[in-house]
């Protein structure tokens, strides 16, 4: 099911798997989208987005509709407060739209245990008693839109409103169900936090603390401070990025229009927060930067942090950055809320399912116990100098490469040799991930080979897979450039097959299962500080690729596990990046003019070297030079070239490369999501198996 976007969605899938496998009662809530993330086709080098109708003709055979768990969700309308017979103010809701939330449950099955957890996907329906309100197809369609598509375009007002409705619809339905099922146990509602934890995964469901308050106070009659106490103890939040554009903020007027009662509650939470902080003598600047409602906007991350007891980042560096920079003011107010939970991956999928030959080779070396206890992989270390074992693993990789080579030929018509280094960058297309740095290096190799066709190098196949957000112009231009560069290079006989470039369309989990086990080099080259964690880096490591990386996200922890000799690190670290921000001293044009190699590479975007891409080439040139290279590609370029030369040298020594590869596999057990989820369960949710 393509019900996610990139690492954020895949991580949620990993956690559901690990919860069931480790035996924790953990349940997911999501939306039963008719269409998942778009299907990508490449036409004339450009990305084209097609609907992903994943239900197909047979529907989803794994789901079960649960009519007895239907709940209603209210949107829009007017709310005013009126005194009841005891003089207590109660909200009166008028003219609301009532929608039916219908759950479809998808079992989450543990590995070789008898545990089945549940992923509940919510669909929307019009309640029969309100059918008269929807006399036209158009009005019915507007309701169906709520669960039609993942990440609808939000560049206009309607799109923004739709996203807010989606988020609230799912969150409210989920929380209503949680409260109902808790109350069936006959326990007092104000103690719900002792039995229930609600985790806010990124800011999409960050309306949860306010909605939970609404339910407790309005629907179940708890007083405000009792309700608040239990809300904070129930909620926790994971931040998945430091990029501020990804921290959701809603226009206050829009929020009030869609969720009039929740808006009142958010205002009350905000007022009380400000009063409490002022009373504690907190600096007014800090209060202003941390409050929820300001400048006409509702800051959802702030609500999640204030309304919960835990905030975590997803890798050590990321959590440090949250504390010292992005969420520093909150860290001053609530140091005890902050903690780290480094991401992980489901080893079962990325070894046993995606890499069956590798799994067999591991069995033959250390036995099968690793299949249920991944920490057994450490035993591989003892074979780091065993030439028979290394040879076996080498051939397993060659086999995976041959499989991928066949797929490449069938889908693109490009022939690639398995003797070449398979150098892979697969991830969402984003400027901070710096696919363009990879491109700059490919252009340099191309120019070098044109100058000197006899250049001594191990043949290289550069493999890309990436979807660009439909509205992200720059990212789409990078895709076009990669495809045009591929056309230029792949059919130039003078290069003697030393260089190939392949862009595989529609990168998704299924394709990842084919690509990742076939990689020799794992490109993790984001600008230091920008990639919160990354998780494909862990998948590549586990299947024996060598990581070529900046000191960013979980790359740092990968380096700590494998040691400096078994990874290739280059470029600025986070301190160097922040030093540029502090000094405002980065000057891309200066770097470009001072370094003839860089100048020649960058000029090839605008001097006709890469055909059929004049507009895109100009856009990229301007991003680098006119707009001062926001992600410091040019400064990191020389170090990257050097690191790539090191890869070339290392690969020539087959024994040494195979040893590095084996040690990567052996140390990858650290990144099992089974352990990550255990830390969440023990340290945040206080959950028992
Ligand atoms: C991603 C991070 O970019 C990635 O480094 C990390 O591995 C992954 O989350 C899982 O933790 N973050 C997002 O996708 C993200 O923050 N998306 C929000 C904009 C929706």
């Amino acid at each position: 099911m393509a019900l996610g976007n990139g690492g954020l969605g895949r991580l949620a899938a990993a956690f559901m798997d690990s919860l069931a496998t480790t035996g924790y009662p953990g349940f997911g809530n999501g939306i039963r989208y008719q269409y998942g993330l778009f299907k990508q086709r490449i036409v004339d080098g450009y990305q084209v987005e097609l609907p992903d109708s994943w239900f197909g003709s047979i529907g989803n055979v794994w789901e079960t509709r649960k009519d007895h768990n239907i709940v209603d969700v209210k949107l829009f309308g007017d709310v005013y407060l009126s005194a009841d017979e005891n003089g207590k103010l109660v909200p009166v809701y008028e003219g609301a739209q009532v929608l039916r939330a219908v759950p479809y449950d998808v079992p989450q099955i543990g590995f070789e245990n008898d545990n089945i957890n549940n992923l509940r996907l919510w669909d929307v329906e019009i309640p029969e008693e309100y059918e008269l309100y929807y006399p036209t197809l158009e009005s019915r369609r507007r309701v169906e839109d709520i669960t039609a598509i993942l990440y609808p375009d939000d560049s206009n007002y309607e799109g923004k409103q739709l996203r807010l409705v989606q988020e609230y619809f799912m969150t409210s339905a989920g929380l209503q169900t949680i409260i109902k099922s808790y109350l069936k146990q006959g326990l007092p509602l104000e103690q719900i936090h002792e039995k229930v934890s609600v985790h806010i995964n990124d800011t999409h469901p960050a309306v949860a603390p306010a909605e939970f308050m609404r339910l407790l106070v309005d629907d179940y009659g708890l007083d405000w401070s009792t309700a608040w106490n239990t809300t904070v103890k129930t909620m926790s939040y994971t931040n998945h990025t430091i990029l501020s554009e990804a921290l959701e903020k809603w226009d206050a007027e829009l929020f009030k229009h869609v969720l009039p009662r929740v808006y009142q509650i958010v205002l009350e939470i905000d007022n009380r927060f400000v009063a409490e902080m002022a009373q504690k003598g907190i600096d007014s600047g800090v209060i202003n930067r941390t409050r929820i409602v300001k400048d006409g906007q509702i800051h959802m991350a702030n609500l999640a942090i204030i309304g919960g007891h835990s905030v975590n980042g997803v890798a050590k560096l990321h959590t440090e950055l949250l504390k010292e920079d992005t969420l520093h003011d909150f860290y001053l107010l609530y140091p005890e809320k902050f903690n780290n939970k480094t991401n992980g991956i489901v080893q079962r999928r990325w070894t046993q399912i995606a890499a069956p030959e590798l799994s067999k080779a591991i069995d033959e070396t250390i036995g099968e116990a690793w299949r249920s206890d991944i920490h057994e992989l450490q035993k591989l270390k003892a074979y780091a100098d065993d030439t028979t074992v290394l040879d076996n693993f080498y051939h397993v990789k060659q086999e995976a490469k041959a499989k991928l080579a066949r797929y490449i030929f069938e889908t693109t018509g490009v022939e690639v040799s398995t003797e070449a280094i398979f150098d892979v960058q697969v991830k969402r297309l984003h400027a901070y991930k710096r696919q363009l740095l990879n491109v700059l290096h490919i252009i340099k190799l191309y120019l070098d080979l044109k100058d000197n066709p006899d250049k001594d190098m191990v043949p290289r196949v550069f493999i890309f897979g990436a979807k660009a957000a439909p509205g992200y112009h720059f990212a789409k231009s990078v895709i076009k450039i990669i495809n045009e560069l591929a056309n230029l290079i792949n059919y130039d006989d003078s290069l003697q097959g030393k260089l190939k470039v392949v862009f595989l369309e529609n990168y998704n989990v299924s394709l990842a299962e084919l690509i990742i086990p076939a990689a020799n080099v794992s490109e993790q080259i984001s600008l230091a500080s920008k990639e919160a964690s990354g998780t494909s880096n862990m998948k590549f490591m586990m299947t024996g690729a060598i990581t070529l990386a900046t000191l960013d996200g979980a790359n740092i922890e990968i380096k700590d596990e494998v040691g400096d000799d078994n990874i290739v690190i280059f470029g600025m670290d986070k301190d160097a990046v922040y030093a540029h921000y502090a000094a405002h001293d980065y000057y891309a044009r200066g770097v470009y003019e001072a370094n003839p190699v860089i100048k020649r590479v960058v000029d090839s975007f605008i001097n006709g070297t890469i055909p059929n891409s004049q507009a895109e080439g100009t856009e990229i040139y301007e991003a680098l030079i006119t707009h001062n290279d926001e992600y410091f590609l040019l400064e990191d370029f020389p170090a990257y070239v050097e690191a790539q030369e090191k890869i070339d040298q290392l690969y020539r020594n087959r024994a040494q490369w195979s040893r590095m590869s084996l040690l990567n596999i052996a140390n990858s057990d650290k990144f099992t999501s089974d352990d990550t989820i255990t830390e969440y369960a023990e340290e945040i949710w206080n959950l028992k198996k």
Side-chain angles (χ1 to χ4, degrees):
M1 304 183 281
L3 303 186
N5 179 342
L8 180 71
R10 178 57 228 176
L11 184 75
F15 284 173
M16 291 310 301
D17 186 319
S18 285
L19 281 165
T21 295
T22 49
Y24 285 109
F27 304 87
N29 270 278
I31 293 180
R32 185 174 176 268
Y33 297 106
Q34 293 294 315
Y35 300 98
L37 190 70
F38 67 88
K39 195 193 279 179
Q40 182 194 53
R41 289 285 167 256
I42 300 297
V43 179
D44 188 26
Y46 291 105
Q47 166 174 300
V48 174
E49 299 110 29
L50 300 175
D52 163 56
S53 50
W54 66 282
F55 281 117
S57 51
I58 53 165
N60 177 12
V61 298
W62 302 107
E63 68 182 17
T64 312
R65 181 184 166 110
K66 292 285 173 68
D67 281 283
H68 54 284
N69 286 330
I70 279 172
V71 294
D72 285 348
V73 174
K74 280 188 198 161
L75 301 153
F76 304 103
D78 290 305
V79 174
Y80 60 89
L81 296 175
S82 153
D84 67 7
E85 60 272 25
N86 305 320
K88 189 180 165 201
L89 289 178
V90 290
V92 180
Y93 215 131
E94 282 178 351
Q97 179 186 31
V98 182
L99 294 173
R100 195 133 290 172
V102 182
Y104 287 75
D105 288 355
V106 186
Q108 304 293 302
I109 302 166
F111 177 66
E112 292 187 342
N113 61 16
D114 289 327
N115 286 323
I116 313 282
N117 286 341
N118 191 25
L119 170 63
R120 178 157 281 189
L121 300 178
W122 293 97
D123 201 358
V124 67
E125 288 181 12
I126 294 165
E128 310 86 80
E129 62 269 36
Y130 293 96
E131 263 174 345
L132 272 177
Y133 290 90
Y134 304 92
T136 62
L137 271 180
E138 183 48 36
S139 58
R140 298 186 75 93
R141 203 163 288 145
R142 267 202 295 277
V143 172
E144 287 161 11
D145 273 350
I146 296 173
T147 58
I149 179 164
L150 167 70
Y151 292 122
D153 175 18
D154 67 348
S155 56
N156 55 34
Y157 183 85
E158 281 71 36
K160 285 190 179 62
Q161 175 168 310
L162 177 57
R163 283 210 196 185
L164 178 59
V165 169
Q166 288 184 324
E167 295 180 0
Y168 177 73
F169 177 75
M170 176 200 83
T171 308
S172 176
L175 292 177
Q176 290 185 52
T177 314
I178 288 167
I179 293 176
K180 282 188 184 161
S181 78
Y182 168 79
L183 287 175
K184 280 191 195 146
Q185 302 179 49
L187 297 167
L189 191 51
E190 61 273 18
Q191 286 167 18
I192 188 169
H193 55 273
E194 290 178 10
K195 296 284 181 195
V196 172
S197 258
V198 173
H199 202 81
I200 301 169
N201 191 31
D202 215 276
T203 52
H204 304 141
V207 71
E211 172 63 4
F212 203 59
M213 284 297 287
R214 188 191 69 78
L215 291 164
L216 296 183
V217 173
D218 290 0
D219 291 9
Y220 291 96
L222 259 53
D223 67 77
W224 183 278
S225 59
T226 306
W228 182 246
N229 178 48
T230 199
T231 296
V232 171
K233 287 180 178 159
T234 302
M235 302 284 157
S236 47
Y237 160 65
T238 299
N239 172 289
H240 290 268
T241 181
I242 65 159
L243 299 185
S244 59
E245 63 266 30
L247 295 179
E248 284 172 300
K249 299 165 199 75
W250 296 110
D251 177 75
E253 286 305 312
L254 167 70
F255 196 96
K256 183 177 169 188
H257 174 61
V258 178
L259 309 171
R261 177 59 182 152
V262 182
Y263 177 72
Q264 291 176 342
I265 288 178
V266 169
L267 285 185
E268 185 65 21
I269 295 172
D270 185 57
N271 281 333
R272 287 178 186 239
F273 168 76
V274 171
E276 183 196 330
M277 291 300 145
Q279 205 222 344
K280 282 188 181 161
I282 302 292
D283 172 74
S284 65
V286 174
I287 299 178
N288 202 43
R289 289 192 296 273
T290 51
R291 66 183 299 177
I292 302 161
V293 188
K294 61 186 166 189
D295 311 326
Q297 293 192 307
I298 318 281
H299 295 249
M300 300 310 285
N302 300 11
L303 175 59
I305 297 167
I306 292 167
H309 66 279
S310 170
V311 182
N312 73 281
V314 291
K316 276 184 193 157
L317 175 69
H318 172 56
T319 301
E320 287 313 309
L321 284 166
L322 291 180
K323 291 203 266 193
E324 71 192 35
D325 185 36
T326 319
L327 301 177
H328 181 66
D329 291 310
F330 282 110
Y331 183 58
L332 294 177
L333 300 180
Y334 309 114
E336 72 290 350
K337 290 191 188 185
F338 283 76
N339 62 93
N340 176 248
K341 298 284 169 282
T342 298
N343 282 168
I345 59 171
V346 179
Q347 70 271 16
R348 294 168 288 282
R349 175 159 304 275
W350 300 104
T351 58
Q352 298 181 54
I353 296 175
E357 295 84 7
L358 172 65
S359 301
K360 212 167 120 245
I362 300 173
D363 289 347
E364 286 160 10
T365 315
I366 57 168
E368 291 181 21
W370 69 277
R371 289 180 181 252
S372 48
D373 176 9
I374 194 70
H375 300 300
E376 287 276 312
L377 280 185
Q378 288 281 340
K379 289 191 175 159
L380 286 173
K381 282 185 186 165
Y383 299 88
D385 296 303
D386 183 322
T387 46
T388 320
V389 167
L390 293 183
D391 210 46
N392 194 17
F393 277 76
Y394 173 83
H395 284 108
V396 159
K397 180 66 82 178
Q398 287 304 105
E399 224 176 295
K401 287 168 75 174
K403 222 197 281 180
L404 178 59
R406 278 195 295 278
Y407 180 85
I408 292 173
F409 182 68
E410 280 159 18
T411 53
T412 67
V414 176
E415 275 186 71
V416 299
S417 161
T418 55
E419 293 306 306
I421 299 174
F422 278 24
D423 184 322
V424 183
Q425 190 172 19
V426 283
K427 47 185 81 257
R428 288 302 298 267
L429 204 312
H430 202 293
Y432 83 80
K433 295 178 187 279
R434 303 202 295 188
Q435 280 94 348
L436 191 56
L437 180 59
N438 195 340
V439 169
L440 295 178
H441 172 245
I442 296 170
I443 296 174
K444 176 181 182 297
L445 283 182
Y446 169 76
L447 296 172
D448 288 352
L449 280 169
K450 290 308 270 184
D451 290 348
N452 172 19
D454 295 327
K455 177 182 161 78
D456 178 28
M457 66 176 273
V458 183
R460 200 70 88 103
V461 183
F462 291 95
I463 298 164
F464 293 88
K467 289 180 182 175
Y472 192 173
H473 199 274
F474 175 80
K476 290 179 148 181
S477 294
V478 174
I479 290 179
K480 170 71 170 168
I481 282 284
I482 294 172
N483 282 308
E484 291 304 335
L485 197 56
N487 282 336
L488 174 70
I489 287 173
N490 295 339
Y491 304 102
D492 185 336
D493 289 338
S494 76
L495 305 178
Q496 304 168 28
K498 287 180 184 168
L499 198 56
K500 295 274 157 131
V501 178
V502 176
F503 186 97
L504 293 175
E505 65 184 3
N506 204 35
Y507 179 63
N508 60 16
V509 175
S510 302
L511 196 50
E513 290 176 11
L514 178 67
I515 296 174
I516 292 174
N520 296 121
V521 176
S522 157
E523 298 266 357
Q524 308 299 338
I525 59 177
S526 52
L527 177 65
S529 76
K530 297 292 185 257
E531 189 70 88
S533 162
T535 42
S536 75
N537 45 5
M538 303 166 184
K539 299 164 195 166
F540 281 105
M541 178 196 194
M542 196 170 273
T543 47
I546 305 305
T547 309
L548 169 54
T550 49
L551 287 173
D552 200 13
N555 302 343
I556 296 174
E557 287 155 82
I558 290 178
K559 171 178 155 306
D560 291 345
E561 292 305 306
V562 293
D564 295 350
D565 293 344
N566 300 307
I567 189 169
V568 178
I569 297 290
F570 74 95
M572 287 186 255
D573 63 7
K574 163 234 144 196
D575 290 334
V577 171
Y578 274 57
H580 275 314
Y581 293 150
H584 297 285
D585 62 351
Y586 185 68
Y587 183 48
R589 188 180 290 278
V591 181
Y592 160 84
E593 276 166 359
N595 182 326
V597 177
I598 292 181
K599 184 159 191 312
R600 186 167 178 220
V601 168
V602 172
D603 284 346
S604 49
F605 288 111
I606 49 166
N607 64 13
T609 304
I610 309 168
N612 308 319
S613 53
Q614 209 192 339
E616 294 78 19
T618 306
E619 185 180 359
I620 288 170
Y621 178 90
E622 286 187 347
L624 291 173
I625 307 303
T626 319
H627 304 302
N628 204 29
D629 183 17
E630 190 180 350
Y631 296 102
F632 303 152
L633 278 68
L634 300 189
E635 175 156 340
D636 266 350
F637 181 71
Y640 182 57
V641 169
E642 214 178 288
Q644 285 285 19
E645 283 163 0
K646 187 169 172 194
I647 291 280
D648 179 283
Q649 288 303 322
L650 286 169
Y651 196 79
R652 290 167 197 241
N653 184 340
R654 185 162 136 185
Q656 191 189 357
W657 185 273
S658 299
R659 186 176 193 277
M660 290 171 70
S661 173
L662 187 81
L663 287 172
N664 270 272
I665 300 170
N667 287 298
S668 66
D669 62 308
K670 157 97 177 166
F671 300 103
T672 168
S673 52
D674 294 352
D675 287 356
T676 311
I677 213 66
T678 302
E679 288 176 21
Y680 275 90
E682 289 177 354
E683 295 165 21
I684 301 180
W685 305 327
N686 191 22
L687 186 61
K688 302 282 174 289
K689 287 194 181 189

